[in-house]
Amino acid sequence: MLRKPVRVMLVDDSPLALVLLQRMLAASPEIEVVGVATHGRQALDLIPHIQPDVVCTDYHMPDMNGLELIREIMARFPVPILVVSSAVERNDSDRIFSLLEAGAVDVFPKPLGGPGANEQAAEMLVNKIKIVAGVFVYGRNADKSRLSVNGPSHSLKPKWSQELPKIVAIGASTGGPQALLTILSSLPAKFPVPILCVQHISIGFLPGLVSWLGNHFKGKVLIASDKEYPRPGNVYFPQEDTHLQIDAKGRLRMTNDLQTWGHRPSVSVMFRSVSSAYGNAAVGVLLTGMGHDGGDGMQVLAEGGALTICQNEATCVIYGMPRDAVERGAARVVLPLDDIASALVAAVNQQPPLLGRIKHGIQ
């Protein structure tokens, strides 16, 4: 059965940019441009009438910039938003993460260059829009009851013990920055164990991500140093283009081993290393993301007795990596994004109510 084209609205104050974008998208039968607007207020008037599946907006616009427009859209009629702008290059990482925090699903540099470059950019833009179109978004004040609906239970493998966790390892890809923000900003000050994070992100954007998350986390968010001992309450990301592992002495190690599942850093590499070092005294968390990285690593964690948590489908931007772990039987518990921070707090404090729920498997 043929799928309907993705209905797209373009917002840009440059008539030339609008023409270029329309030409690029017209080449794809999977995309239909259903409306254009030259400023934010016009876009807000059009959205309820044309009901786009995706809004692509510029950042720099008169009267109402892209950040303000995103906030208004998310408050009034939430729809997936892709920022297409020259203001989202690597040296503008602070702006990029502010846009994601406001509710944008992703960002894409405004296409520039000759016909050949634009042809390649058009293919990338179409693929990005198709991904964004599959995202469920909700307003800042929306009823989130749908996000906590129970699904089929997953039985818990009996090997998991209740040893007090000594480390938390979190992996994410597409949609991960927003998910990490939700979790880290909800954790208490002086979280009692270290947190290791692997986020698939383009080279050059990691320092901005670390700075942005650090502004919302009560502890420290750091890019790890090789041979550093992880400290409780700190969040560690690997250096760019390196795997994050733990050696026999309990030190963080940055390695240049081959990519795993097409990634370096790889979530699976981190999970396997954490399992080897901590066994059943670890907690692994797998968040939104495309592909399979993390699933096999989470399986190793689970088989070693660790507590393993996956983000549920309803709250994922892309339910790829968590799905792989769930289908492998590696997820001991599957939770909505908003419940993961409280689950981590309960786990590291060995709170019986949570442990009882996990024993019976919850979704």
Side-chain angles (χ1 to χ4, degrees), residues 4 10 43 45 61 81 112 144 146 182 199 214 225 229 232 258 270 273 283 295 303 320 338:
K4 293 181 179 179
L10 303 174
D45 290 338
M61 296 182 291
I81 301 168
L112 298 172
K144 301 180 185 177
R146 108 167 227 183
T182 298
Q199 165 67 53
S225 298
Y229 287 98
L258 294 176
M270 174 182 66
S273 178
V283 178
E303 290 171 351
D338 286 348

Side-chain angles (χ1 to χ4, degrees), residues 318-355:
I318 300 292
Y319 189 58
M321 289 159 48
R323 180 195 296 277
D324 185 69
V326 169
E327 290 180 348
R328 290 172 180 269
R332 301 190 184 282
V333 57
V334 181
L335 292 173
L337 176 61
D338 286 348
D339 291 346
I340 292 177
S342 59
L344 292 177
V345 172
V348 297
N349 289 292
Q350 292 286 280
Q351 294 179 6
L354 175 82
L355 300 180

Side-chain angles (χ1 to χ4, degrees), residues 41-107:
R41 301 201 183 279
Q42 183 183 19
L44 292 172
D45 290 338
L46 282 174
I47 289 174
H49 298 290
I50 64 176
Q51 297 185 347
D53 298 317
V54 175
V55 171
C56 294
T57 181
D58 191 14
Y59 177 81
H60 291 298
M61 296 182 291
D63 189 27
M64 177 183 288
N65 65 28
L67 180 60
E68 295 166 330
L69 175 60
I70 291 167
R71 288 171 176 159
E72 286 294 317
I73 290 175
M74 296 305 292
R76 294 167 59 176
F77 20 71
V79 63
I81 301 168
L82 175 66
V83 179
V84 182
S85 176
S86 57
V88 294
E89 301 293 342
R90 292 177 183 174
N91 59 347
D92 294 303
S93 59
D94 288 344
R95 178 178 293 138
I96 289 171
F97 293 111
S98 295
L99 292 166
L100 296 178
E101 184 178 357
V105 176
D106 211 339
V107 298

Side-chain angles (χ1 to χ4, degrees), residues 15-31:
L16 181 61
L18 286 174
V19 170
L20 174 62
L21 290 172
Q22 287 182 86
R23 287 178 179 172
M24 294 173 73
L25 297 179
S28 172
E30 300 173 287
I31 305 292

Side-chain angles (χ1 to χ4, degrees), residues 28-333:
S28 172
E30 300 173 287
I31 305 292
E32 179 185 3
V33 177
V34 295
V36 297
T38 56
H39 56 82
R41 301 201 183 279
Q42 183 183 19
L44 292 172
D45 290 338
L46 282 174
I47 289 174
H49 298 290
I50 64 176
Q51 297 185 347
D53 298 317
V54 175
V55 171
C56 294
T57 181
D58 191 14
Y59 177 81
H60 291 298
M61 296 182 291
D63 189 27
M64 177 183 288
N65 65 28
L67 180 60
E68 295 166 330
L69 175 60
I70 291 167
R71 288 171 176 159
E72 286 294 317
I73 290 175
M74 296 305 292
R76 294 167 59 176
F77 20 71
V79 63
I81 301 168
L82 175 66
V83 179
V84 182
S85 176
S86 57
V88 294
E89 301 293 342
R90 292 177 183 174
N91 59 347
D92 294 303
S93 59
D94 288 344
R95 178 178 293 138
I96 289 171
F97 293 111
S98 295
L99 292 166
L100 296 178
E101 184 178 357
V105 176
D106 211 339
V107 298
F108 188 85
K110 185 175 288 187
L112 298 172
N118 281 339
E119 183 177 337
Q120 182 180 18
E123 182 179 353
M124 295 173 62
L125 179 58
V126 166
N127 288 335
K128 185 76 73 172
I129 289 173
K130 286 160 57 180
I131 292 172
V132 170
V135 175
F136 170 70
V137 298
Y138 52 90
R140 293 293 183 257
N141 301 313
D143 177 8
K144 301 180 185 177
S145 59
R146 108 167 227 183
L147 306 183
S148 300
V149 175
N150 287 347
S153 297
H154 300 289
S155 60
L156 179 69
K157 295 182 179 66
K159 190 175 180 181
W160 179 55
S161 74
Q162 294 185 18
E163 182 175 345
L164 189 68
K166 297 177 182 177
I167 197 163
V168 172
I170 305 176
S173 188
T174 309
Q178 300 98 313
L180 288 169
L181 175 66
T182 298
I183 294 170
L184 296 182
S185 64
S186 300
L187 293 179
K190 298 182 180 180
F191 190 70
V193 303
I195 301 173
L196 309 187
C197 289
V198 164
Q199 165 67 53
H200 299 161
I201 195 167
S202 299
I203 297 293
F205 288 108
L206 180 62
L209 174 65
V210 168
S211 175
W212 177 62
L213 291 173
N215 291 333
H216 298 276
F217 179 58
K218 299 177 181 69
K220 294 181 180 179
V221 182
L222 307 164
I223 296 176
S225 298
D226 194 44
K227 298 183 181 180
E228 175 180 10
Y229 287 98
R231 295 185 177 183
N234 288 355
V235 176
Y236 298 91
F237 285 84
Q239 297 169 21
E240 292 188 317
D241 197 30
T242 66
H243 292 304
L244 177 58
Q245 298 178 271
I246 298 177
D247 66 15
K249 296 181 179 180
R251 302 175 301 181
L252 301 178
R253 297 305 309 267
M254 310 300 116
T255 68
N256 293 310
D257 297 342
L258 294 176
Q259 293 183 350
T260 298
W261 294 110
H263 296 284
R264 189 173 60 218
S266 160
V267 180
S268 285
V269 169
M270 174 182 66
F271 280 171
R272 287 196 295 267
S273 178
V274 167
S275 178
S276 178
Y278 288 89
N280 61 12
V283 178
V285 181
L286 193 55
L287 303 175
T288 174
M290 182 181 297
H292 300 277
D293 188 28
D296 57 342
M298 179 160 275
Q299 188 170 19
V300 172
L301 276 171
E303 290 171 351
L307 170 59
T308 52
I309 301 171
C310 277
Q311 183 180 351
N312 74 345
E313 182 174 6
T315 61
C316 280
V317 170
I318 300 292
Y319 189 58
M321 289 159 48
R323 180 195 296 277
D324 185 69
V326 169
E327 290 180 348
R328 290 172 180 269
R332 301 190 184 282
V333 57

